[in-house]
Amino acid sequence: MGTRENGKLLRTVTAAAMTAAMAFTLTACGGGDRAPDTGSSSQPPGEGGDMDGEGVPDSASEDGEVMATLNGTNGVNIAVTSAIRDQGGFVTVKGKIENTGDRAYLFDRWSAGDQDFSGKGASVGGMTLVDKEGKKRYYILRDTDNNCLCTMFPGGLGAGEIADFFAQFPAPPAETTEVDLQVPTMSSVTIRITDK
């Protein structure tokens, strides 16, 4: 095999290896926390409303026992499975969001005070924690690019979808073990913080 053929073969093998590495990287970094799309619609969601406080289906307890639930009149239900304080001074709230409606939910009314995530895509960025005894409200943390440290839903949450979510907040004082989780367009619910 001549030098020209060797060079051509080497370029082909290198290109194939780079393509495989990029595909692996994209797969590993993909939104694996989202349920597969089951035919969501791009129509705007219904209006939000008060929550009735009843439970979300048992599938919400896969990551742990459900500690609190919020059910919206617009068909978007939230099940909180954990609120863990770590030694770095953060509280990470995790759970599942279910869209039982027949249209995609775009989180378009989920804003929170000074935290404007417009242009960043749909997210749970409007959630806040309220320490009633300490009289403080905690907003979701942001990175240096103003992205919330929370789950993003670039296309919203499709009809019939269930997706994991997380949201990271500054931790209230160590003696505070209960806070209210507040969600725009929904009522609040009390959750217990556990230490890691």
Side-chain angles (χ1 to χ4, degrees):
M1 190 180 286
T3 303
R4 179 176 287 178
E5 288 83 3
N6 280 341
K8 193 173 187 180
L9 178 62
L10 182 59
R11 283 191 298 275
T12 303
V13 169
T14 302
M18 289 178 66
T19 302
M22 287 178 65
F24 175 77
T25 301
L26 290 173
T27 302
C29 294
D33 61 346
R34 297 267 326 266
D37 189 0
T38 56
S40 63
S41 165
S42 61
Q43 294 177 339
E47 293 295 314
D50 290 337
M51 309 305 269
D52 62 15
E54 294 182 10
V56 174
D58 290 339
S59 63
S61 63
E62 290 175 5
D63 288 340
E65 185 177 338
V66 174
M67 70 165 67
T69 59
L70 297 165
N71 290 356
T73 57
N74 55 11
V76 175
N77 306 321
I78 299 173
V80 179
T81 56
S82 66
I84 299 175
R85 184 197 326 260
D86 65 30
Q87 294 180 351
F90 307 109
V91 169
T92 303
V93 176
K94 292 184 179 180
K96 292 187 182 289
I97 300 177
E98 179 182 21
N99 180 2
T100 64
D102 58 2
R103 296 180 287 187
Y105 187 70
L106 304 178
F107 302 89
D108 61 341
R109 295 177 60 194
W110 284 37
S111 61
D114 65 343
Q115 301 249 357
D116 180 13
F117 299 111
S118 59
K120 301 289 184 180
S123 74
V124 299
M127 291 181 172
T128 60
L129 296 181
V130 176
D131 174 4
K132 288 189 287 192
E133 289 188 12
K135 298 181 180 177
K136 282 193 175 181
R137 178 183 302 272
Y138 296 89
Y139 293 92
I140 292 178
L141 294 167
R142 292 185 273 191
D143 65 17
T144 54
D145 293 323
N146 202 37
N147 297 309
C148 71
L149 297 183
C150 66
T151 303
M152 303 291 289
F153 296 93
L157 185 62
E161 286 189 353
I162 301 175
D164 296 327
F165 81 88
F166 83 94
Q168 193 168 60
F169 303 86
E175 60 272 15
T176 300
T177 57
E178 288 189 348
V179 291
D180 284 354
L181 174 66
Q182 294 189 342
V183 180
T185 76
M186 301 179 179
S187 63
S188 63
V189 66
T190 301
I191 59 174
R192 178 173 291 276
I193 298 174
T194 58
D195 293 325
K196 190 171 185 179

